[in-house]
Amino acid sequence: MSGSETVVYSEVWDLESLLPALGTAEFQQKLVSVKKGLEDLVAQLSAAPEIAPDAAQVWCQLLAQFEDMETTISDLRSHVECYCASDATNAQFQRIEAELSSLAPLREQVGALIEAAFRTLSEEDLVAFVAREPWLLERTYAWKLRQRAARMRLPEAQENLANQLAVDGLHAWGRLYDRISGALKIQLLEKGRLVEKSCSQVQFDSPDRAERQSNYFAADVAWKSIENLCAEAINHIAGTRLTIYDQLGVEDHLVSPLMWNRMSRATLNQMWRVITQKKSVLLKYLQAKARLMGLEKLAWYDLTAPLPRKPGQMPEKLPYQSACEQIVSAFGSFSPHMQDFARMALRDGWSEAVNRAGKRQGAFCTGYRAAGQSRMFMTYTETADSMSTLAHELGHAYHSYVLKDVPYLLADYPMNLAETASTFAEAVLADARMQQAQHPYDRLCQLDAALADGVAFLMNIHARFIFEDNFHKARRNGELAANDLSQLMVAAQKEAYLDALAEDGWNPRFWASKLHFYFTGIPFYNFPYTFGYLLSLGLFSEGKSRGSAFAADFVKFLECTGSMDAEDAVKVSFGFDLTQPEFWSRSIDVLAAKVEEFDKLTAEIVG
C-alpha cells in the first residue's frame, strides 16, 4: 500500500458475506441440514466397530465427518452470537439462538460416543491405530484430548439425558441472563434530562469523578432491580455443575476448567502463589494514583479513570479511525505480518464497534472457520481503554488467522492461550504509545494505563477467582441469596485488592454485572485471563531482548497452541517451565519496574 493511500476502517461488521442472515429460509435450511447430519453421525458412530488398526479406515471417515460437522456448527454458533449481540432484544434472533441450542444434546452425543471409543485405548493401541492413516496420525493430539474429556462424561444414558435437560436447564439460565442484562436500561442525568442507556453505553472511565460516581451508582440501582433473577441464574448454573461433578466423582470444581484450559493444577497454584506473594508492589501505584487525583484512597469507579488533566488540557478523544490507525501502526513495529492482518481486518468489516443502544455489554471475538475469518464485537467509546479493547480483540482474530489453514481439531486452542495472544496485542499497542510519549506527564499517563491493566489482571481477576471458588464451596450447602452473594463478592475484592480501596468504594453487585459468571460452556472464565496476561507480559519482555526474530518465534508459538498442552507449548517455543515460580516472578518484576517509575514521576509532580 502506498503511503498516500487513505484506508477507511469500517465500524460496522459484514456478516451476510459469511452466512445467510438470521431469519431467512437459507439460514433455516442450514439448521435443518445440521440436525440431520448430527442424527446420521450418531447412528453411524453407534454402529461403528471398536477402535483398532483394522478399523482405521472406517474411523477415519467418521472422524472426518465429525471435524466437518464441528466446523459447520462452530460457524453457525458464531453467526447467531453476532446477531444476538448486536440486537440484544430481538425476539426472532432469541428464538433462533434457542433453536440452535436445542441441537446441543445431539452434538454432545456425538462427542460422547467418540470419547467412549477412545476412553480405554492404551498409548500403544492409539499409536498403532493412528499409524494406519496419515489423516488420523496428524490429529493424534486431538484424540488424546478426547481420551481426557471422557473422564468428564457420565455413563451414556445419563450423559444423553443430562445434555437434553441442559437445553432448558443449564444453558437456559445462561440465555436468561443474556436477555435480562441485554434489555437492562440505566437511567442517567445528562444536561438536565433523564436518559436511558444500555449497559454497554455507560462510561465508567470518564475523567470527571462526579460523572463516574453518578454512573456507577446509577448502574448499581439498575443491577439491583434484577439481582434476584441474576442470583437465581448463577445459583442454578453452579448447582447443575456441582451435581454433575458429584456424579463423576471428580476431585473438585476446578478439575473441569483445568482440563478445558489444558493446564495442570500445579501451574495454576504456582501462578496464584507468586501473585499473592508479589502483587503488593501494586499498592504503591494505587496510592500514587490516589495522590494525583486528590484522594486518600481510590474507589472501584476510580480504578480505570484517566489521570487528572493538565491545566487547559482537553480530554483525550480517540475517534475510531484514529484508533485503528494507531493500532495498525503499533502492530507494524512488532511484525509486518501482524500489521497487514490488522489493516485488512479493520478495513474489511470484521469489527462491530459502533456506539448505539440495543447492543449486549462486553466484547468478544468469534471465528468463522470455513471462511478463515473472525468477527469482533465491542462498543467503541473514543477512549484509550476502548482502543486497547479493540487491540485485544484483534489479537484474538490474529491468533485464529495464523491457524486458519491448520486442521480444525488442531486449531481449537484453550482460553488461557487465547488470552495470551490478545493481551500480547494490547502490550504491543501500549509499548508504541509509551514510545510516543514525549512529556513526563504523558509518560505518566501511559504508565497509568499499563499499571491499571496489572491491577485488573492481578487483583480484579483474582477477586473473580476467589469469589467463584468460595461460591462453589458455599453452594454445596444450598442456594445463596443476592445479599449473600454481594457479601461474598466484597470479601473476595478486599482479599484480592489487599484492602487497598476506600471503605465505601467496593462493588458488591459485581457478581451480577459481570457476564463471565454466567457463561455455561466453560466454567471459571477468569484465571485464564491472568495466565494469558502474565504469559504475554513475560513473552513481550523476552521479545524486546531478542529483537526482530522474536515475531517469527511468536507465530510458531501460536501455531502450536491448538496441538499441545499449555505448559508444553510454552516450553517447546521459549524454554520456560510454568510449573516453577521463576517465569511468573519475572513477569511481575516487569510491572514492579513500571510502578517505581510511576511513583518517581508522581513525586516530581505532586511532591
Side-chain angles (χ1 to χ4, degrees):
M1 188 184 79
S2 67
S4 60
E5 188 176 342
T6 300
V7 179
V8 177
Y9 298 109
S10 175
E11 205 169 353
V12 179
W13 56 19
D14 163 34
L15 298 179
E16 293 189 19
S17 67
L18 299 168
L19 284 170
L22 265 64
T24 62
E26 292 82 1
F27 187 83
Q28 197 63 30
Q29 182 54 45
K30 286 189 174 292
L31 291 180
V32 172
S33 177
V34 164
K35 182 178 182 181
K36 177 66 164 56
L38 286 170
E39 290 170 341
D40 290 346
L41 193 50
V42 166
Q44 293 178 66
L45 287 167
S46 298
E50 288 188 6
I51 288 182
D54 291 344
Q57 187 174 20
V58 172
W59 273 98
C60 188
Q61 293 171 354
L62 289 171
L63 293 170
Q65 289 181 53
F66 167 66
E67 185 173 60
D68 290 344
M69 186 61 66
E70 284 290 288
T71 302
T72 299
I73 293 174
S74 174
D75 286 359
L76 291 175
R77 290 174 64 185
S78 293
H79 207 52
V80 170
E81 181 182 26
C82 287
Y83 273 88
C84 289
S86 61
D87 192 355
T89 60
N90 188 300
Q92 182 185 35
F93 295 168
Q94 291 172 1
R95 287 194 298 272
I96 295 170
E97 181 183 40
E99 185 177 358
L100 180 61
S101 181
S102 71
L103 300 180
L106 276 172
R107 181 172 176 250
E108 291 295 329
Q109 191 174 359
V110 168
L113 287 166
I114 291 172
E115 288 158 16
F118 278 101
R119 183 170 194 161
T120 58
L121 221 58
S122 68
E123 180 71 23
E124 294 77 12
D125 290 340
L126 180 61
V127 169
F129 170 67
V130 299
R132 290 294 187 94
E133 294 284 345
W135 189 94
L136 292 172
L137 182 62
E138 183 183 15
R139 292 159 176 78
T140 299
Y141 179 73
W143 316 137
K144 290 182 178 180
L145 289 180
R146 291 287 158 180
Q147 285 184 306
R148 288 185 209 167
R151 184 187 174 197
M152 300 303 293
R153 295 283 189 186
L154 296 165
E156 184 177 353
Q158 294 179 27
E159 181 70 25
N160 291 339
L161 177 60
N163 290 328
Q164 290 171 29
L165 291 173
V167 174
D168 294 309
L170 175 67
H171 301 312
W173 287 111
R175 292 198 304 274
L176 174 67
Y177 176 82
D178 286 343
R179 292 174 188 180
I180 61 175
S181 62
L184 188 66
K185 300 298 181 185
I186 298 173
Q187 292 190 334
L188 302 173
L189 191 65
E190 289 188 352
K191 297 180 180 179
R193 296 179 59 189
L194 199 62
V195 298
E196 287 190 342
K197 290 191 174 184
S198 300
C199 296
S200 61
Q201 292 183 291
V202 179
Q203 190 176 356
F204 297 107
D205 55 357
S206 167
D208 184 340
R209 190 170 198 254
E211 181 182 348
R212 289 196 308 274
Q213 188 180 53
S214 178
N215 288 356
Y216 168 79
F217 284 112
D220 190 55
V221 168
W223 285 108
K224 182 174 175 56
S225 72
I226 62 169
E227 66 174 353
N228 289 328
L229 278 174
C230 293
E232 291 286 346
I234 199 171
N235 271 291
H236 295 309
I237 289 169
T240 300
R241 285 179 173 146
L242 289 171
T243 299
I244 292 174
Y245 296 159
D246 286 344
Q247 291 298 310
L248 290 168
V250 295
E251 181 181 348
D252 60 15
H253 48 266
L254 290 174
V255 170
S256 178
L258 285 168
M259 183 197 74
W260 283 112
N261 283 282
R262 304 173 197 170
M263 63 184 284
S264 69
R265 192 179 294 260
T267 296
L268 178 66
N269 289 343
Q270 188 66 262
M271 181 186 78
W272 286 133
R273 187 179 300 116
V274 173
I275 288 170
T276 301
Q277 290 170 351
K278 302 194 69 167
K279 70 176 174 181
S280 59
V281 299
L282 290 169
L283 293 178
K284 185 184 286 188
Y285 157 68
L286 293 174
Q287 292 160 359
K289 182 167 184 174
R291 291 202 307 276
L292 286 166
M293 299 177 79
L295 302 170
E296 184 176 343
K297 282 188 173 183
L298 300 177
W300 187 271
Y301 45 82
D302 298 317
L303 291 169
T304 59
L307 296 181
R309 298 189 296 274
K310 294 177 290 187
Q313 182 186 27
M314 297 299 291
E316 183 181 28
K317 286 284 187 181
L318 291 166
Y320 185 73
Q321 295 297 317
S322 174
C324 292
E325 289 166 3
Q326 286 195 47
I327 291 170
V328 170
S329 175
F331 284 7
S333 67
F334 171 68
S335 158
H337 183 257
M338 193 176 187
Q339 180 181 49
D340 290 344
F341 164 79
R343 182 183 293 114
M344 177 269 296
L346 292 168
R347 179 195 64 208
D348 292 351
W350 287 29
S351 175
E352 163 59 44
V354 66
N355 185 351
R356 59 172 173 78
K359 295 172 69 172
R360 283 182 182 171
Q361 60 172 327
F364 65 79
C365 177
T366 191
Y368 286 80
R369 177 70 184 182
Q373 298 185 24
S374 297
R375 290 297 182 266
M376 299 165 286
F377 175 86
M378 66 174 297
T379 298
Y380 187 76
T381 58
E382 298 191 331
T383 65
D385 186 61
S386 202
M387 178 172 65
S388 184
T389 298
L390 181 59
H392 180 102
E393 300 308 331
L394 272 166
H396 283 306
Y398 181 65
H399 193 172
S400 295
Y401 187 75
V402 166
L403 290 166
K404 66 183 177 65
D405 297 321
V406 173
Y408 177 82
L409 294 177
L410 297 179
D412 185 19
Y413 45 83
M415 181 191 165
N416 51 354
L417 296 181
E419 294 308 324
T420 302
S422 56
T423 50
F424 189 92
E426 287 188 77
V428 171
L429 173 64
D431 185 68
R433 283 173 62 81
M434 183 73 76
Q435 299 301 323
Q436 294 166 4
Q438 301 296 321
H439 190 278
Y441 196 81
D442 294 334
R443 186 169 182 84
L444 189 71
C445 290
Q446 296 305 318
L447 285 167
D448 175 55
L451 292 171
D453 284 344
V455 169
F457 289 107
L458 303 191
M459 292 179 162
N460 184 299
I461 300 294
H462 199 187
R464 297 188 212 177
F465 177 82
I466 294 168
F467 165 80
E468 197 158 7
D469 188 38
N470 290 336
F471 167 56
H472 276 78
K473 293 173 182 175
R475 180 63 181 84
R476 289 194 169 278
N477 299 319
E479 295 180 22
L480 280 72
N483 187 57
D484 298 326
L485 292 164
S486 293
Q487 290 179 14
L488 207 60
M489 177 56 76
V490 170
Q493 289 171 359
K494 288 186 174 183
E495 179 181 347
Y497 283 85
L498 304 176
D499 211 12
L501 302 187
E503 188 56 37
D504 61 349
W506 305 101
N507 187 355
R509 267 176 281 276
F510 192 51
W511 61 268
S513 62
K514 182 50 64 176
L515 77 165
H516 298 69
F517 294 126
Y518 299 85
F519 290 168
T520 58
I522 300 176
F524 274 78
Y525 214 86
N526 42 58
F527 69 81
Y529 282 111
T530 300
F531 177 102
Y533 169 73
L534 286 179
L535 181 55
S536 67
L537 199 66
L539 293 183
F540 188 78
S541 176
E542 180 75 7
K544 296 275 281 187
S545 64
R546 288 198 194 183
S548 58
F550 182 79
D553 294 338
F554 187 70
V555 169
K556 290 177 182 176
F557 164 67
L558 296 182
E559 287 173 341
C560 67
T561 52
S563 56
M564 291 184 186
D565 289 354
E567 293 91 343
D568 293 339
V570 173
K571 194 158 193 175
V572 166
S573 301
F574 304 109
F576 301 122
D577 184 353
L578 300 186
T579 65
Q580 299 302 310
E582 288 77 16
F583 178 84
W584 304 113
S585 182
R586 195 171 77 171
S587 293
I588 297 177
D589 287 343
V590 174
L591 271 182
K594 294 180 187 295
V595 169
E596 290 303 318
E597 184 178 0
F598 186 90
D599 189 58
K600 179 181 177 183
L601 288 172
T602 298
E604 292 174 1
I605 292 169
V606 299

